[in-house]
Amino acid sequence: MPWTISSSLDDFRARAGGFLAAHPAANTVLLTITDRLAARGPHYYGDGVPVFGWWRAEPDGPVAGAFLRTPPFALRLGLMPESAAAELATELAGARVEAPSGSAALTGAAGGAAATLAFGAAWAAATGATSTVRTNERLYRLGELTDPPRPPSGRSRLAGATDRELLIRWFTEFAEAVDIRIPDVATVVDDRTAARQLHLWEDGGRPVAVAGASAVIAGMSRIGPVYTPADARGRGYASGVTAAASVAALARGAGEVLLYTDLANPTSNSIYQQIGYRPVEDCVELAFGG
């Protein structure tokens, strides 16, 4: 089989790192996850052992596909052909028969829509599981950054240590609102604050919104999360703080500034386009059951 699967982050970065860096938009999540694992250790996202894989069309050919998984989270597909995604699902379905007792079950997969749907169909066929769409997203890339059409009152600033409790609460509220799991919110907030990645929008001296900008990796930075508490929405704060985080990413040397939106949220898809973001690809998250 052309897939190589490993639990070694070093091997994955040595074999697939060049491929990930050559396609930073399609591989944005893999790039940020491997960067954090390298900095903070293999259990940053949970107690399970991460798994990595890379694919070649020919045994001696170049890497042309990659994935990773940090249990208990869903498997994340990077750029790959649909046929490679289906091959991966079949191989993992066969391997799970030999998996040790207590190993984390595969609960879902996420990535570019075409490859992820191909993976889901092959997984369902091989295992008898159901495969349902949990979330439809769209990946955007910043073109020319423009001011929001209705600039909000206030200003942006970097988050600091005194904002810790507020940010922990907002990250928790954000995770609940979009139905995602953040294993250790306090650690994430502390790490990202120390790295100067979190930007607050203030109005009248009161923080009203937050946006993150990831470290620049392979010329890419990704915006997120973007969150405005319910009592401050509808005033343009999300546009303002996203623009500020985007400026910071560009100033740090990002050639590509990216962000994901939930296609079920027309407001976010509209406001990001208004400040210069343009669609790259549709993505999907699948949930496996049965």
Side-chain angles (χ1 to χ4, degrees), residues 92-107:
L92 292 178
R96 77 176 188 152
V97 175
E98 306 298 331
S101 175
S103 61
L106 183 60
T107 58

Side-chain angles (χ1 to χ4, degrees), residues 154-215:
R155 65 179 184 88
S156 68
R157 67 168 175 84
L158 276 170
T162 58
D163 303 302
R164 184 175 190 265
E165 296 306 316
L166 173 69
L167 290 170
I168 289 173
R169 185 171 77 248
W170 280 4
F171 269 59
T172 301
E173 291 173 0
F174 171 80
E176 292 173 351
V178 301
D179 192 21
I180 63 170
R181 179 174 179 266
I182 302 176
D184 187 341
V185 174
T187 296
V188 171
V189 165
D190 290 344
D191 285 353
R192 300 200 68 184
T193 300
R196 301 170 64 84
Q197 294 180 3
L198 298 180
H199 301 262
L200 292 171
W201 193 267
E202 284 189 336
D203 192 3
R206 179 174 72 97
V208 291
V210 62
S214 73

